[in-house]
Amino acid sequence: MPDAETGAIRVASPTGRWVILTTVLGSSMAMLDSTVINVALPRIGKDLGTDLAALQWTVNAYMLTLAGLILLGGSLGDRYGRRRVFAVGVVWFAAASVLCGIAPNAAVLIAARALQGIGGALLTPGSLALIQASFHPDDRARAVGLWSGFGGVGAAIGPFVGGWLVDGPGWRWVFLLNVPVAAVCLPVALRHVPESRAPEAHGRFDVLGAVLGALALALVTYALIEAPGRGASGVVIGSAVGGIVLGAVFVQVERRRKDPMLPPSVFASRQFTVVNIITLCVYAALGGYFFLSAIQLQVVAGYSALGAGTALLPTTVLMLLFSASAGELGQRIGPRIPLTVGPLIAAAGMLLMLRVGPGSSTASAYFSDVLPAVGVLGVGLVTVVAPLTATVLASVDTARAGLASGINNAAARAAGLIAVAALPLLAGMGPEAYRDPGEFAATFRRAMPMCAGLLVLGSLIAWATVRKPPVTAGEKEKARPECTVHCGIVSPPLEPAPGEAGRPGGGGPFLGKPGGNGPLPGKPDTPGAG
């Protein structure tokens, strides 16, 4: 399809439906592999004969490369072509999924998961960039809404499908299922999606910043995961110190670079900084909760993988049904109350999970023990996630809304990564804990209050610091979320930058940042404004 059609596609047209299909399929692959893996962990550990640390790495290797590279991934399409980078991401992700599916041991699986994360860093922002660059300005909001809505449905049913695969053909099909999805997604993208790029994108990509950030996370994660087995050894202490030092170097590099991946100036907004701290608390708690709960339901309560995935389903269904309404309520009453009350409700849900134990797999026990916990947690997440996203966007200049969303998304993923690494250590889980129902149950009872405590901390910070951002003189309106339907269990939804992204050359979700994208967008004379 010729480039001239970029920015002119209508949602109701056949081409528009093809674009929606391929972008939903692409983003869903990356989203599902972030969530369904938890229900497969006990079976993976049993089949590969590995310890808890390897299961932690199976989750975290993917999250590490995705969190470390997602900010950089959003700018590649502006330079080299959004469809091209998206197609590369699809092929890369599918190839890495095959490696996961045929992995003979834990080491290969972990390495393949890290490669999957790189593909996810191209797919996740790339699919949204294609949406906003391809559709006519009048249809862009509807297209983004369809993309987020269908993606939310996929996220909601993901654990159910993952459990069915684990109990049926086997856990390897959780990964191999991506191959037929990619086989549909790729030819549709190449045939029906127009190519687009920012013609005057310039500057250098902040590869150094991305590498430093990822290495800092990797070293800290390694120290936390290995500490239960190795103790305070030289390797563990050295990794922890090295990670902290690299983190400090990352901050200094970003301050001094002309085109940083993470421009420090965006944190000049006190509210933006505070809301990202709340994000860290909320998504660290969620990351630890979903990692441990899926194992608790199977190892201790006796659920099958399918049963565990189905048991956790009400949380995502509630978010899918009511996230848009919660966002509208937050717009009316302001963010302080939702960001204070939501984490407290979610914390109560996590504490209710302490009722889950041996014998909770019967129908009556599910309704008395499991459903109240996941239901209350879902209500809390409905209350907090949409207003959290809206507050992030409203706390920065409108031209930087896409950047703000990308930072918030990456922060949430990094928080989940650290939580999965740290929580077993803090709760005293040994390397073989997931094989012993008694030991795992005891440590689970110590871990859930820690997760709840993080949510309470986030609530207190919100009550003390969050205020409704005022609209300053000359400012028409703060940026508002366009992805109103979502299931933000792993991370908040990505949001496109407002402005002229629907026209030809419109930009990706991280426009407004330096790092290869040229001048700040949002100005009428800026090519690729988004």
Side-chain angles (χ1 to χ4, degrees):
M1 181 174 292
D3 290 1
E5 296 188 33
T6 303
I9 297 172
R10 294 288 188 172
V11 169
S13 68
T15 300
R17 289 191 286 270
W18 283 119
V19 174
I20 294 290
L21 173 65
T22 191
T23 52
V24 167
L25 289 176
S27 60
S28 294
M29 285 196 300
M31 184 186 305
L32 290 177
D33 272 41
S34 298
T35 56
V36 303
I37 187 65
N38 288 330
V39 299
L41 290 175
R43 194 68 58 83
I44 291 174
K46 180 180 179 181
D47 287 357
L48 299 183
T50 191
D51 60 10
L52 181 64
L55 299 187
Q56 290 171 274
W57 276 116
T58 300
V59 175
N60 277 353
Y62 179 84
M63 296 297 291
L64 177 64
T65 50
L66 181 57
L69 299 176
I70 193 170
L71 284 172
L72 184 63
S75 64
L76 291 174
D78 291 339
R79 175 81 67 85
Y80 298 115
R82 299 181 182 97
R83 184 184 65 182
R84 176 184 298 175
V85 171
F86 177 80
V88 170
V90 170
V91 174
W92 187 298
F93 197 91
S97 297
V98 171
L99 290 177
C100 290
I102 64 175
N105 53 53
V108 175
L109 177 60
I110 291 167
R113 286 283 286 168
L115 292 175
Q116 259 194 326
I118 297 174
L122 300 176
L123 284 178
T124 304
S127 58
L128 180 54
L130 283 178
I131 287 283
Q132 61 178 22
S134 299
F135 283 94
H136 189 281
D138 294 341
D139 281 9
R140 175 173 166 265
R142 184 184 173 198
V144 171
L146 289 171
W147 175 80
S148 67
F150 284 121
V153 171
I157 67 174
F160 174 84
V161 174
W164 176 77
L165 289 171
V166 171
D167 287 339
W171 63 265
R172 296 180 185 276
W173 282 95
V174 170
F175 303 110
L176 295 177
L177 186 63
N178 291 322
V179 177
V181 175
V184 174
C185 182
L186 183 62
V188 172
L190 295 178
R191 180 172 181 179
H192 296 284
V193 178
E195 182 61 283
S196 64
R197 56 175 57 86
E200 296 189 13
H202 61 81
R204 295 181 178 178
F205 294 114
D206 188 10
V207 176
L208 177 60
V211 171
L212 286 173
L215 285 177
L217 282 174
L219 288 174
V220 171
T221 301
Y222 178 84
L224 292 171
I225 290 177
E226 294 299 320
R230 294 174 179 255
S233 64
V235 173
V236 170
I237 294 175
S239 297
V241 172
I244 294 171
V245 170
L246 283 181
V249 173
F250 168 76
V251 171
Q252 292 302 316
V253 167
E254 297 302 280
R255 284 179 175 176
R256 296 177 182 178
R257 283 186 70 92
K258 183 179 179 181
D259 50 359
M261 176 184 73
L262 187 66
S265 59
V266 74
F267 292 97
S269 167
R270 176 175 175 269
Q271 181 125 306
F272 177 77
T273 302
V274 165
V275 174
N276 274 284
I277 293 173
I278 297 170
T279 298
L280 292 174
C281 294
V282 169
Y283 283 93
L286 290 178
Y289 166 84
F290 282 103
F291 173 72
L292 296 178
S293 292
I295 301 176
Q296 172 79 358
L297 286 170
Q298 295 177 71
V299 173
V300 178
Y303 280 75
S304 64
L306 175 59
T310 306
L312 298 173
L313 193 59
T315 299
T316 51
V317 170
L318 285 171
M319 294 188 68
L320 180 65
L321 294 177
F322 299 110
S323 56
S325 299
E328 293 174 1
L329 178 63
Q331 293 288 342
R332 290 199 300 270
I333 67 175
R336 188 186 187 194
I337 292 177
L339 297 188
T340 300
V341 174
L344 292 178
I345 297 174
M350 290 186 180
L351 292 178
L352 285 174
M353 278 296 291
L354 295 174
R355 296 165 55 90
V356 177
S360 294
S361 59
T362 65
S364 60
Y366 174 76
F367 285 102
S368 64
D369 297 343
V370 182
L371 184 59
V374 297
V376 171
L377 176 64
V379 172
L381 296 186
V382 165
T383 306
V384 71
V385 172
L388 185 73
T389 300
T391 309
V392 164
L393 298 181
S395 62
V396 298
D397 294 338
T398 303
R400 284 189 153 189
L403 166 65
S405 174
I407 292 173
N408 190 241
N409 186 279
R413 295 178 188 276
L417 166 77
I418 295 299
V420 170
L423 207 56
L425 170 64
L426 296 175
M429 290 185 183
E432 302 297 323
Y434 81 97
R435 301 180 189 275
D436 184 335
E439 180 183 352
F440 193 88
T443 52
F444 183 82
R445 287 194 293 270
R446 292 194 288 268
M448 283 301 100
M450 296 178 190
C451 292
L454 283 171
L455 289 168
V456 172
L457 176 60
S459 173
L460 293 174
I461 294 172
W463 178 256
T465 61
V466 172
R467 300 293 182 270
K468 187 173 183 177
V471 178
T472 59
E475 187 176 40
K476 295 181 180 179
E477 187 180 7
K478 293 289 186 181
R480 300 182 65 175
E482 293 187 34
C483 299
T484 56
V485 180
H486 53 79
C487 303
I489 288 174
V490 176
S491 64
L494 282 174
E495 292 287 339
E500 301 175 280
R503 66 174 176 77
F510 304 134
L511 286 180
K513 71 180 177 67
N517 285 336
L520 291 178
K523 302 177 182 179
D525 58 345
T526 304

